[in-house]
Amino acid sequence: MIKLSKANTKRQLAIHGWVGLLFGFLLYIVVFTGSVVVFEDELGEWSISGFNSSQTFEYPVDRALKNLADNTASEFWQNIDMYHYQGNLLVFFHQHKKDRKGKKQDYGVQYTLNPVTMKVVDRQIGFRSNFDNVTGSNWVRFMREMHTNLYIPGRLGLYATGLLGLLLLVSAVSGLFLHRHLLKDMFLSPRKLNRKINYRDGHSLAGTWVLPYAFVLAFTGAFLSFATSLGLPVMAYTAFKGDVEKATTALLSKPDVNEVPIAKDSQLYNLDTLIANASQMTDAKPLNLTILNYGTPQTLVTLNHKPADTAVFGRELLFNGNSGEFVREIAIVGHKPTVSSNSLEVMFSLHFGNFAGRLSKLIWFGLGLLLCYVTLTGFRLWFERRLQQPAWQKLALSVPIISYGVPISFLTAGVGFFLAYSKAVSIEIETMIWYGFFAGWLLSLFSLLFVFVLKQSEQANKLLNPLSNQPSNPLPYQLLKHSKNTNSDHCHLSIKYANQYFYFLLALCLLLLPLLRWQFLGYSWGTLWHNQDYLVLLIDLVFLIMGLLFYAKFLKASVDNSEFS
Amino acid sequence: MNILGITLISLAVSSVFLYRLRQLDPKRRRIHKLAKMTQDKERTRLLWLLVFSPALPLLIGKLFSALIMWFAGLFLLGWMMAVIKPK
């Protein structure tokens, strides 16, 4: 038990409450999108359907690569990237070239291969950023961008999310001090004595159990945001006279051709043997492969491996491309792995939760949602404590609008994505995603109209309470007039009606998305089953089950609300 | 056995003792008007020790990914158990 003086407790409560109130909405968006993008690969695969991204360098690639190189201009042999993307194997031969704005970019030829037959499916030439595959799964990328920088341009976005990480840390610490009976109450399920106690118990209980995760997430998130946006420039200005590129080169210690001796010939060592050796060394398959200076007597090959089963982070190995000899392990910072570089790797893994397959992702997703729940119950508690004050009463309805508006707007952004991706509308994908996102917020704000206008119309009420046999009444003002606490009761009733509306909206969006995926992308359950694409099937099912659950909640709420009326 | 299996077994072991701790929790019993039970601090300490006992074999076996997943999953499991109201 942490003992605080009365004045100190008041101060902590003010910090905890105001930080939550002022920044809770943005924090909720960042945590919610972060929880969802834990399943970035899976959702990406689902949203474009029909691809199998599980294969990574399962079939021989050596002959295919050398054939491609023979048919590609040698000016692009400087850098070759090979990686699996959306079920295809991509091989990108490129050099660095300035674009129209004078910014150095990767320019070259990209081949898309069938990963089994190694047949060329597609060939594109140009800047990497202009290739089609970059915009493949924009819906997921939209959520990721929202998580990393809230779509605020430049470094400001990273500063904003870094600051939110620090504020989460402040909330966690002040919450720890405030909740004096942390250990005593850790099995206390929320009491239903009254709303205030119920909300407080729910908030404290979830806050207690999610506290270690909140600390880890807040610290690693703030670090990741500030490391590149603030740490690197500061280091560049202080130690490298403002030369960021020089600072980056020194910090990352990128592979250099001078690390290997000049070979007798320029022949590339057998890539398949090299992949097998590297896989044996790391106990894991490579995720991507890079060849530097192909066709020269000083060729380098780097292989980036996913984490082995027992490890928390993956490894990157450097080989001599001419002799096949192992050169060194590449560290995330510095020349070779050290305690600090490994700590950094652990921080990445702890933040992303993607180190041990889908179980770690599932746990991170669950804890992320629990953190969202803590934020939202904090909101509810804040307003519940102030419902007697007219100014706060007017704002009370913002809680369900924010709580449900965020998931609804990201789901409607998905609807926008499907419409544009399938070319059902001739609008750019990114624009359509934004339209969907704003449409979601408009629909959420429509709840105000539902609560204050439609619910007072008897006809509309009948439509909205399908299971009710009782004669429908508009909002029970007469009943409330006799209540001691008319205004706050009216607020609770409005929130109940708003919740009912949001359950319906969420159910609709969740049920609609798999149908849109099927309709627009053309992959039915039969086809997916036949192609053994079980992941897409599973995600469809999750959406449908969640949609049905919310529809059941809507029906229950409509009965409860009409009984109350 | 793979990491998934090891993690799930570790979580299952911890959840048995976590469940017992929940059942014996004095405040939970008092608030929800359940029959009183004698409070035994030694027993509670032992149960907490047993909740965290899977950490040792995971550490010795250098199964770090399973260790982190188990530790994170434990908190999620703990909340799921605690939030359910007694009948």
Side-chain angles (χ1 to χ4, degrees):
Chain A
M1 180 172 157
I2 301 160
K3 280 186 181 172
L4 291 177
S5 67
K6 215 175 177 182
N8 208 347
T9 308
K10 257 190 165 180
R11 204 176 303 131
Q12 293 291 339
L13 189 64
I15 293 172
H16 191 76
W18 281 104
V19 164
L21 186 77
L22 296 176
F23 301 100
F25 172 56
L26 292 177
L27 201 60
Y28 173 44
I29 290 186
V30 170
V31 177
F32 178 79
T33 47
S35 312
V36 175
V37 294
V38 167
F39 286 109
E40 185 180 3
D41 296 337
E42 288 79 0
L43 281 175
E45 193 179 327
W46 175 81
S47 61
I48 47 170
S49 290
F51 299 97
N52 185 1
S53 61
S54 57
Q55 304 155 343
T56 48
F57 295 97
E58 267 184 280
Y59 298 92
V61 293
D62 183 70
R63 183 179 288 272
L65 178 98
K66 286 170 183 165
N67 283 342
L68 290 176
D70 291 343
N71 293 307
T72 308
S74 57
E75 59 184 303
F76 299 126
W77 286 5
Q78 200 182 345
N79 293 282
I80 307 169
D81 291 344
M82 288 181 89
Y83 56 100
H84 284 259
Y85 184 78
Q86 295 173 1
N88 292 316
L89 177 66
L90 300 187
V91 185
F92 182 39
F93 292 78
H94 64 280
Q95 54 175 220
H96 302 297
K97 195 176 165 180
K98 282 185 179 172
D99 63 8
R100 279 182 196 169
K101 291 174 186 169
K103 199 177 165 190
K104 264 190 182 178
Q105 291 232 46
D106 294 343
Y107 179 87
V109 187
Q110 178 173 276
Y111 297 93
T112 306
L113 309 182
N114 179 313
V116 183
T117 60
M118 296 296 156
K119 241 183 167 175
V120 177
V121 182
D122 185 41
R123 182 181 186 273
Q124 296 181 74
I125 185 159
F127 286 105
R128 190 203 289 261
S129 54
N130 294 337
F131 291 154
D132 282 347
N133 61 301
V134 177
T135 55
S137 180
N138 267 14
W139 177 48
V140 182
R141 208 174 62 157
F142 173 74
M143 288 191 276
R144 196 181 58 207
E145 288 286 305
M146 199 61 95
H147 174 70
T148 48
N149 57 26
L150 287 166
Y151 268 95
I152 301 171
R155 281 184 200 153
L156 282 178
L158 288 171
Y159 291 157
T161 46
L163 197 68
L164 285 172
L166 291 179
L167 289 170
L168 178 60
L169 211 57
V170 169
S171 291
V173 172
S174 54
L176 183 67
F177 283 120
L178 275 174
H179 196 188
R180 290 178 297 168
H181 303 287
L182 194 84
L183 294 176
K184 272 188 183 173
D185 290 352
M186 69 190 306
F187 288 107
L188 181 64
S189 58
R191 288 165 282 181
K192 288 189 174 165
L193 294 173
N194 60 47
R195 282 193 193 93
K196 211 181 285 178
I197 292 178
N198 187 259
Y199 291 168
R200 194 190 61 200
D201 284 354
H203 180 71
S204 305
L205 185 74
T208 302
W209 286 100
V210 88
L211 200 63
Y213 176 75
F215 272 121
V216 169
L217 204 72
F219 179 74
T220 53
F223 179 85
L224 294 178
S225 285
F226 286 128
T228 48
S229 64
L230 193 67
L232 188 65
V234 166
M235 195 182 71
Y237 280 114
T238 50
F240 294 88
K241 293 177 183 168
D243 191 340
V244 177
E245 205 172 318
K246 207 174 167 187
T248 313
T249 311
L251 193 70
L252 301 183
S253 190
K254 284 180 181 170
D256 189 276
V257 283
N258 294 321
E259 290 188 59
V260 290
I262 299 169
K264 282 179 190 165
D265 61 35
S266 309
Q267 186 70 26
L268 179 73
Y269 188 76
N270 188 300
L271 269 188
D272 300 323
T273 314
L274 220 134
I275 290 170
N277 291 344
S279 302
Q280 204 175 10
M281 284 171 74
T282 56
D283 278 334
K285 284 267 180 192
L287 286 168
N288 55 57
L289 185 153
T290 308
I291 303 168
L292 284 176
N293 277 10
Y294 176 81
T296 69
Q298 278 183 306
T299 307
L300 292 174
V301 179
T302 56
L303 291 119
N304 187 12
H305 292 258
K306 56 185 178 184
D309 272 355
T310 54
V312 182
F313 53 87
R315 291 167 70 191
E316 196 171 0
L317 306 181
L318 177 66
F319 287 88
N320 182 328
N322 303 107
S323 66
E325 280 171 18
F326 173 64
V327 179
R328 68 176 167 101
E329 187 168 344
I330 300 170
I332 194 166
V333 283
H335 189 69
K336 58 182 181 181
T338 55
V339 175
S340 54
S341 72
N342 286 349
S343 307
L344 198 60
E345 292 266 24
V346 171
M347 275 175 65
F348 274 99
S349 296
L350 287 180
H351 189 81
F352 301 124
N354 57 359
F355 50 90
R358 293 199 179 120
L359 181 63
S360 68
K361 289 182 179 187
L362 203 64
I363 293 170
W364 256 244
F365 176 70
L367 286 168
L369 289 190
L370 192 58
L371 195 54
C372 289
Y373 175 76
V374 175
T375 314
L376 297 177
T377 47
F379 272 139
R380 279 159 73 174
L381 190 57
W382 175 277
F383 282 99
E384 189 59 39
R385 282 177 172 157
R386 288 160 182 81
L387 270 191
Q388 305 300 331
Q389 301 165 29
W392 289 109
Q393 278 169 8
K394 285 174 189 159
L395 283 170
L397 211 61
S398 65
V399 180
I401 293 177
I402 288 173
S403 310
Y404 297 107
V406 169
I408 286 170
S409 57
F410 283 107
L411 288 171
T412 48
V415 174
F417 167 76
F418 280 128
L419 289 171
Y421 185 76
S422 62
K423 301 205 166 42
V425 291
S426 52
I427 300 174
E428 264 185 43
I429 297 177
E430 193 134 354
T431 313
M432 209 46 211
I433 288 174
W434 277 106
Y435 284 166
F437 182 71
F438 288 124
W441 278 111
L442 273 178
L443 284 169
S444 302
L445 288 171
F446 187 74
S447 63
L448 293 169
L449 195 70
F450 172 77
V451 170
F452 294 115
V453 181
L454 284 181
K455 283 305 283 184
Q456 291 179 47
S457 137
E458 202 168 318
Q459 238 178 348
N461 213 6
K462 265 184 192 168
L463 278 170
L464 295 161
N465 294 320
L467 291 189
S468 170
N469 294 322
Q470 295 176 9
S472 300
N473 291 321
L475 278 173
Y477 287 108
Q478 294 306 316
L479 179 86
L480 290 169
K481 268 184 187 172
H482 300 292
S483 164
K484 280 180 187 172
N485 205 2
T486 310
N487 285 333
S488 69
D489 277 354
H490 188 252
C491 265
H492 286 129
L493 198 61
S494 305
I495 290 171
K496 271 177 174 234
Y497 282 128
N499 284 344
Q500 180 191 339
Y501 169 81
F502 282 119
Y503 295 150
F504 179 75
L505 208 56
L506 260 176
L508 188 72
C509 291
L510 287 162
L511 292 171
L512 197 65
L513 272 186
L515 294 176
L516 286 180
R517 183 205 61 73
W518 183 358
Q519 187 62 32
F520 287 134
L521 304 182
Y523 290 93
S524 67
W525 284 12
T527 316
L528 291 169
W529 186 266
H530 184 256
N531 293 349
Q532 297 183 331
D533 213 341
Y534 305 123
L535 182 73
V536 178
L537 256 172
L538 184 73
I539 296 177
D540 267 358
L541 275 176
V542 170
F543 272 112
L544 291 176
I545 291 168
M546 279 168 61
L548 290 173
L549 282 175
F550 274 105
Y551 189 67
K553 267 180 94 87
F554 161 73
L555 292 179
K556 190 178 177 297
S558 67
V559 172
D560 290 350
N561 291 349
S562 41
E563 272 172 11
F564 188 77
S565 304
Chain B
M1 190 184 287
N2 62 11
I3 287 298
L4 183 76
I6 292 169
T7 313
L8 290 177
I9 288 173
S10 308
L11 280 171
V13 169
S14 296
S15 65
V16 170
F17 302 112
L18 210 55
Y19 177 80
R20 190 76 191 129
L21 272 167
R22 186 194 77 161
Q23 296 302 90
L24 295 172
D25 187 65
K27 191 158 183 185
R28 185 182 166 92
R29 297 194 76 85
R30 181 163 51 82
I31 298 288
H32 293 297
K33 296 185 175 85
L34 300 171
K36 273 186 186 174
M37 288 180 101
T38 49
Q39 205 178 348
D40 186 348
K41 280 189 179 172
E42 286 299 310
R43 183 177 54 188
T44 309
R45 264 186 219 140
L46 179 71
L47 281 171
W48 273 117
L49 204 70
L50 288 168
V51 166
F52 288 102
S53 61
L56 201 65
L58 294 178
L59 258 176
I60 292 168
K62 291 185 178 174
L63 304 169
F64 300 117
S65 56
L67 179 76
I68 294 176
M69 277 195 288
W70 161 79
F71 190 70
L74 191 63
F75 286 91
L76 195 60
L77 214 64
W79 174 76
M80 284 159 107
M81 276 189 189
V83 82
I84 299 166
K85 240 184 120 174
K87 280 176 188 170

